[in-house]
Amino acid sequence: MGRIEILCSYIDNCDSFADVGCDHGYCTQYALKSGKCKSAVIADISAKCLAKAETLLAEFIEKGVCRSVCCDGLSGVPQDTEQVLIAGMGGDEIIKILTRGFVPEKFVFQPMKNVVGLRKFLLERGCKITDDDIFYDGKYYFVIKGERRGGTEEYSSAELFFGRDSLKNPVLKSYAQAELIKRERYFDDCADSSARKKTANEINLLKEVLE
């Protein structure tokens, strides 16, 4: 399966669904065609990207089961939306979107950077993380699925860095090997003491995974 198909596999059956930063709208198309959701909102800050999704989802928009909103983050998404997907953005950007807007009742996040920061954010707010995994489709992707309420058992350092389910996924080994090489090179060239300390800790975690 490719990235889109894998992301769609994490979507639960729901009444209302929103794809924030929807780009072409493929995930929403899947959710509506498969009956995973009864209604959907596609949202993107880029009118150009949104137009592509509107073209793809024209039949659903005409039926009144899909609504298009050009907005920043969650600003145009109803707060009672049952499930929200945010994929392809940096973890910091997702955190900003959630802080300015709201943490959805159910969510699927696929951050491109700073997944650790996003995990910390969700855990500190008492979210229940149900899936925290890694997959490969030309590059490595982390995906976090969960709910606004319910809480999660405290994460270990390794779980926070890699994801609880990722630690049981064979894909993590190849990811760890590639990341170890990058961080060892960075450590050798880094002069900043705090950055070296942080990188040394990350190197140790990567080595633990590979043992």
Side-chain angles (χ1 to χ4, degrees), residues 171-205:
V171 172
L172 186 64
K173 291 283 186 182
S174 53
Y175 167 82
Q177 288 171 341
E179 288 299 308
L180 181 60
I181 292 170
K182 290 180 186 176
R183 280 169 171 76
E184 285 180 335
R185 287 174 178 168
Y186 177 78
F187 183 83
D188 291 339
D189 296 335
C190 184
D192 182 83
S193 59
S194 61
R196 283 175 66 85
K197 183 178 180 180
K198 179 176 179 290
T199 305
N201 290 334
E202 293 173 348
I203 287 171
N204 289 333
L205 286 171

Side-chain angles (χ1 to χ4, degrees), residues 74 77-81 84 97-104 148:
L74 288 158
V77 177
Q79 287 201 25
D80 61 354
T81 301
V84 173
I97 287 172
L98 300 177
T99 302
R100 293 171 183 167
F102 58 93
V103 177
R148 180 169 58 218

